[in-house]
Amino acid sequence: LNCLAAFVSMIIFAVMIAASTVDWYTYSETYILSDPATADGTEANSFGTLNFTRYYYNLEGVTTQTQPTGQTETSVFRGYDSNASSLFSVFKVAQAFVLVALITAFILGFFLILCFADAVRNKLLFWAGMNVLRIVLVLIAAVILISLCVAFLSFLGITEAFSNDTPSCNAGYCRRFQDSVKHEHGFMTQTSNGKTVSRPLTQKNEWGPTSGWYLTLACIPCAILVLLLVVINKFPIPVDSVTIGEAL
């Protein structure tokens, strides 16, 4: 059980490193041209992307990717406005608790691995006492779980943050946490190889959480498992038990 607790703790540590570097939220606005519907009523097929604007939010800032019609794609990164931004607050709260979970998971995993050595474990037992060490381990495991839950749940406030930062916002991400909508904009006429074709123009908006938020969610069951293992497992092993075992 000690090995399993140490292994899962290091998994949480590794996953939270990934969560601290990847995107947490995305919003995209894409204009798509479709082939005209056939005479028998068959739904139009996607023909190609006319242009798009995409926003990728991570814990440090937002990357904006744009591709105007007929032009090349550009990408610009900017940090959050710390002076007057609810969005800044949401991401910094998430970042703070992600870092707490990351650090405490490493401390717990490293400590459990370190205590595999009898000499180290026995010195810690004599220095702090068995009950104190067990309480500390339980508290650290509880901090990991609480930090993950706070980082995960606090991020649900991003919808309100968008709305607060832009009071006149009517976009979907200011009203719902995750969704996608389509708007039809009639037809767009194009000429290719001397042939004129009118194709339906569709605007597709998509927004919602991405990998960072889901990685945090995935770590919560792991943190619950670590907490249970630390609580039910009698660790550190009493020195007398070690001595008796060696004598036998």
Side-chain angles (χ1 to χ4, degrees), residues 12-246:
I12 295 174
F13 170 68
V15 173
M16 295 318 295
I17 289 178
S20 66
T21 59
V22 298
D23 297 324
W24 277 59
Y25 200 82
T26 183
Y27 168 73
S28 65
E29 181 178 294
T30 308
Y31 287 88
I32 303 170
L33 286 176
S34 303
D35 288 326
T38 60
D40 60 3
T42 303
E43 186 178 350
N45 296 317
S46 176
F47 177 77
T49 299
L50 186 65
N51 58 66
F52 65 78
T53 302
R54 297 168 183 163
Y55 300 91
Y56 299 96
Y57 298 85
N58 61 31
L59 298 179
E60 294 293 337
V62 54
T63 299
T64 305
Q65 292 183 354
T66 57
Q67 183 177 350
T69 304
Q71 299 183 29
T72 58
E73 178 182 330
T74 59
S75 181
V76 178
F77 175 83
R78 63 177 176 83
Y80 300 115
D81 182 6
S82 59
N83 296 321
S85 173
S86 298
L87 203 61
F88 173 84
S89 300
V90 169
F91 276 98
K92 289 309 170 182
V93 168
Q95 184 181 46
F97 283 97
V98 163
L99 290 177
V100 170
L102 185 156
I103 293 170
T104 50
F106 175 78
I107 292 173
L108 180 61
F110 179 76
F111 180 83
L112 291 174
I113 294 172
L114 193 65
C115 285
F116 290 161
D118 291 342
V120 174
R121 181 178 61 243
N122 292 341
K123 286 182 180 179
L124 289 172
L125 288 172
F126 280 118
W127 175 69
M130 183 170 58
N131 290 334
V132 173
L133 286 179
R134 285 179 176 172
I135 292 173
V136 170
L137 290 176
V138 171
L139 289 177
I140 293 176
V143 168
I144 296 172
L145 177 59
I146 293 171
S147 299
L148 290 171
C149 290
V150 172
F152 174 78
L153 294 175
S154 66
F155 195 73
L156 296 174
I158 192 172
T159 303
E160 184 178 355
F162 279 126
S163 182
N164 291 340
D165 289 345
T166 311
S168 59
C169 177
N170 292 319
Y173 56 81
C174 292
R175 295 173 302 193
R176 289 185 295 274
F177 182 64
Q178 180 178 20
D179 206 349
S180 64
V181 294
K182 287 184 178 181
H183 302 283
E184 302 296 335
H185 292 282
F187 291 82
M188 182 174 180
T189 301
Q190 289 185 320
T191 301
S192 178
N193 297 326
K195 182 184 294 186
T196 301
V197 179
S198 293
R199 294 188 170 90
L201 177 62
T202 303
Q203 176 188 346
K204 184 177 183 181
N205 293 356
E206 297 178 293
W207 64 92
T210 53
S211 50
W213 190 70
Y214 288 112
L215 287 173
T216 303
L217 173 60
C219 282
I220 292 177
C222 296
I224 294 174
L225 175 61
V226 169
L227 180 58
L228 290 175
L229 289 173
V230 172
V231 169
I232 67 176
N233 193 29
K234 293 183 177 180
F235 181 83
I237 301 173
V239 178
D240 291 343
S241 298
V242 175
T243 304
I244 293 172
E246 290 176 350

